[in-house]
């Protein structure tokens, strides 16, 4: 694959994963989703129309926003009221994202540093365009000669999302009330059978943030990225069945693969960030270097 072709494919990936900011996206027609006067998401007009059937929970659109009713003034009260609406909408089976119901709670807050105002079922977050957070791990080796190789996972063919695609060695969503490092260690254990003491040595290295839209809604996401250098004899093992296999590949091969359709898109972005941080992609030789950096770190 020629360098220019690789660069253009990566640029296309980043543009696709940030298409909510593109001309012609649904952003112009979206309504802000507000809780207690603060914006926590984006709601498309057809979703707002469905929510108007529940005036005891959601206000009618006003000033470009849909809000939770002021009578819902507590974390649990808001969470339970919205959850009851989602359960009713799930029964109607008209919203495809709710067919992937997870029974996983995600925190809803204006910024990550803010206290959560409520929790929401993971499968419904795209309907409200609320921010979703996760952890991703770059596990890699460095030979005596300085050659870098990276461990990749092949997702199970039965995964609900992106089945069979290449992925980081371990990754997972950040559930409500669960810490970042705790989530990372848990995912390492469950997905790759990595010992706790090994997983605990992973270093927080970056965040990768982007917002995309598709037929299921709006996805503002931010991934907390960790790096873990492992010894040559390290071998991950398939754990909970979310992964079908692991591969240790030279970093140049990983670089080539991340620009293909065989790689889970946001995980490809995490690997690209690794390449930039470790000077494996450099501004003197990569014409789109600045666009790459900008595309990896969009403000949610």
């Amino acid at each position: 694959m020629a360098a220019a072709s690789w660069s253009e494919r990566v640029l296309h990936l980043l543009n696709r994963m940030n298409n909510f900011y593109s001309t012609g996206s649904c952003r112009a027609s979206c309504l802000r989703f507000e809780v207690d006067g603060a914006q926590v998401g984006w709601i498309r007009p057809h979703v707002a129309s469905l929510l108007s059937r529940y005036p005891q929970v959601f206000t009618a659109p006003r000033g470009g926003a849909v809000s939770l009713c002021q009578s819902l003034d507590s974390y649990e009260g808001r969470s339970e009221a919205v959850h009851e609406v989602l359960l009713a909408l799930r029964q109607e089976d008209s919203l495809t994202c709710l067919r992937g119901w997870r029974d996983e709670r995600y925190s809803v807050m204006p910024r990550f540093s803010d206290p959560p105002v409520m929790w929401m079922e993971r499968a419904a977050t795209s309907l409200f365009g609320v921010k979703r957070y996760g952890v991703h791990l770059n596990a890699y080796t460095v030979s005596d000669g300085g050659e870098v190789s990276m461990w990749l996972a092949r997702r199970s063919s039965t995964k609900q999302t992106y089945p069979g695609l290449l992925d980081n060695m371990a990754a997972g969503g950040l559930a409500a009330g669960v810490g970042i490092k705790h989530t990372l260690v848990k995912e390492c254990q469950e997905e790759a059978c990595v010992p706790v003491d090994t997983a605990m040595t992973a270093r927080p290295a970056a965040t990768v943030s982007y917002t995309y839209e598709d037929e299921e809604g709006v996805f503002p996401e931010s991934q907390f990225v960790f790096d873990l250098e492992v010894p040559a004899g390290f071998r991950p093992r398939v754990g909970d069945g979310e992964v079908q296999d692991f591969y240790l590949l030279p970093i140049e091969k990983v670089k080539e693969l991340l620009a293909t359709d065989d790689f889970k898109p946001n995980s490809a972005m995490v690997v690209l960030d690794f390449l930039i941080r470790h000077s494996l992609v450099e501004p003197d030789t990569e014409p789109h270097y600045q666009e790459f950096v900008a595309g990896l770190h969009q403000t949610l």
Side-chain angles (χ1 to χ4, degrees), residues 142-202:
V142 182
S143 71
D144 292 340
E147 294 86 5
V148 177
S149 297
M150 181 175 283
W151 281 102
L152 298 181
R154 173 74 70 183
R155 292 166 68 85
S156 168
S157 60
T158 60
K159 282 282 287 182
Q160 191 176 103
T161 56
Y162 304 103
L165 295 190
L166 292 170
D167 203 344
N168 301 116
M169 191 184 79
L174 200 60
V178 182
I180 298 166
K181 192 64 173 281
H182 178 88
T183 299
L184 177 79
V185 172
K186 177 179 72 72
E187 296 296 342
C188 284
Q189 287 182 279
E190 293 177 355
E191 295 183 356
C193 299
V194 178
V196 173
D197 56 347
T198 300
M200 285 295 294
T201 65

Side-chain angles (χ1 to χ4, degrees), residues 185-244:
V185 172
K186 177 179 72 72
E187 296 296 342
C188 284
Q189 287 182 279
E190 293 177 355
E191 295 183 356
C193 299
V194 178
V196 173
D197 56 347
T198 300
M200 285 295 294
T201 65
R203 297 180 299 104
T207 60
V208 169
S209 304
Y210 48 89
T211 304
Y212 68 93
E213 64 173 16
D214 64 18
E215 65 279 358
E216 295 192 347
V218 179
F219 296 80
E221 298 186 343
S222 186
Q223 310 300 336
F224 292 92
V225 179
F226 288 76
D227 288 350
L228 176 63
E229 183 176 349
V230 294
F234 171 85
R235 293 288 184 276
R237 291 184 293 109
V238 173
D240 58 10
E242 294 198 1
V243 171
Q244 57 179 292

